[in-house]
């Protein structure tokens, strides 16, 4: 998928969860994909995304990564969320370990009343980390030629 900014989309994800081979695929979104299908191939299989913007593709990538990592009830284990930070979001988390704000965000994850995160909680978690990251500050400082 060209134009998409997510650098790990070409890596195949080997995650828990069985595909549902009896489910007929829809024209807009696939059912549960097999474990080894890359995010870029999953994105390419969604016809509605073919004319989407980079931002829409970025959100679709996030949705697919969450869905591929979550259980059959659409919930994400806390340990899996932490693993996703390390494998899929490391450029935003790199160097943040000593910052009190980062530690607070991770401790909130540990103190989350449920053992699992739904998609909304996961997105809030990602946005919180994004907002305090050094990478965001670097992105803001880029001079854009218009």
């Amino acid at each position: 998928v060209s134009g998409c900014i997510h650098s790990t989309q070409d890596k195949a994800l080997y995650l828990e969860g069985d595909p549902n081979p009896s489910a007929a695929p829809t024209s807009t979104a696939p059912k549960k994909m097999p474990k080894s299908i890359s995010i870029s191939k999953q994105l390419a299989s969604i016809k509605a995304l073919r004319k989407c913007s980079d931002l829409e593709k970025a959100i679709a990538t996030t949705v697919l990564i969450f869905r591929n990592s979550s259980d059959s009830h659409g919930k994400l284990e806390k340990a899996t969320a932490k693993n996703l930070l390390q494998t899929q979001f490391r450029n935003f988390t790199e160097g943040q370990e000593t910052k009190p704000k980062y530690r607070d965000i991770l401790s909130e994850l540990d103190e989350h009343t449920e053992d699992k995160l739904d998609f909304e909680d996961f997105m809030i978690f990602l946005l919180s980390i994004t907002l305090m990251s050094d990478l965001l500050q670097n992105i803001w400082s880029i001079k854009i030629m218009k």
Side-chain angles (χ1 to χ4, degrees), residues 23-136:
T26 64
S27 62
T28 57
K31 296 292 180 194
K32 192 78 170 179
M33 287 286 197
K35 303 176 207 184
S36 61
I37 293 181
S38 69
I39 293 295
S40 61
K41 287 183 181 178
Q42 290 180 53
L43 287 169
S45 73
I46 303 170
K47 291 179 184 177
L49 289 176
R50 291 185 183 148
K51 295 181 182 179
C52 288
S53 69
D54 288 343
L55 181 59
E56 291 167 320
K57 289 175 186 172
I59 294 296
T61 300
T62 306
V63 171
L64 284 172
I65 289 171
F66 177 86
R67 186 169 153 220
N68 289 343
S69 302
S70 64
D71 64 18
S72 61
H73 302 291
K75 299 282 186 163
L76 191 65
E77 297 276 346
K78 290 179 186 180
T80 304
K82 286 182 180 180
N83 184 51
L84 285 175
L85 283 181
Q86 295 169 344
T87 60
Q88 299 287 323
F89 216 59
R90 77 175 158 264
N91 291 307
F92 280 94
T93 60
E94 226 170 48
Q96 307 305 304
E97 300 85 4
T98 60
K99 291 183 177 180
K101 200 171 188 181
Y102 179 79
R103 288 191 307 236
D104 287 346
I105 292 169
L106 286 184
S107 70
E108 284 179 34
L109 178 63
D110 289 333
E111 295 169 7
H112 196 271
T113 56
E114 296 179 21
D115 289 333
K116 298 180 181 184
L117 301 175
D118 61 16
F119 183 69
E120 181 180 347
D121 291 332
F122 179 70
M123 289 300 290
I124 291 168
F125 181 61
L126 286 183
L127 287 173
S128 297
I129 289 174
T130 301
L131 291 171
M132 52 79 54
S133 72
D134 293 336
L135 181 56
L136 179 65

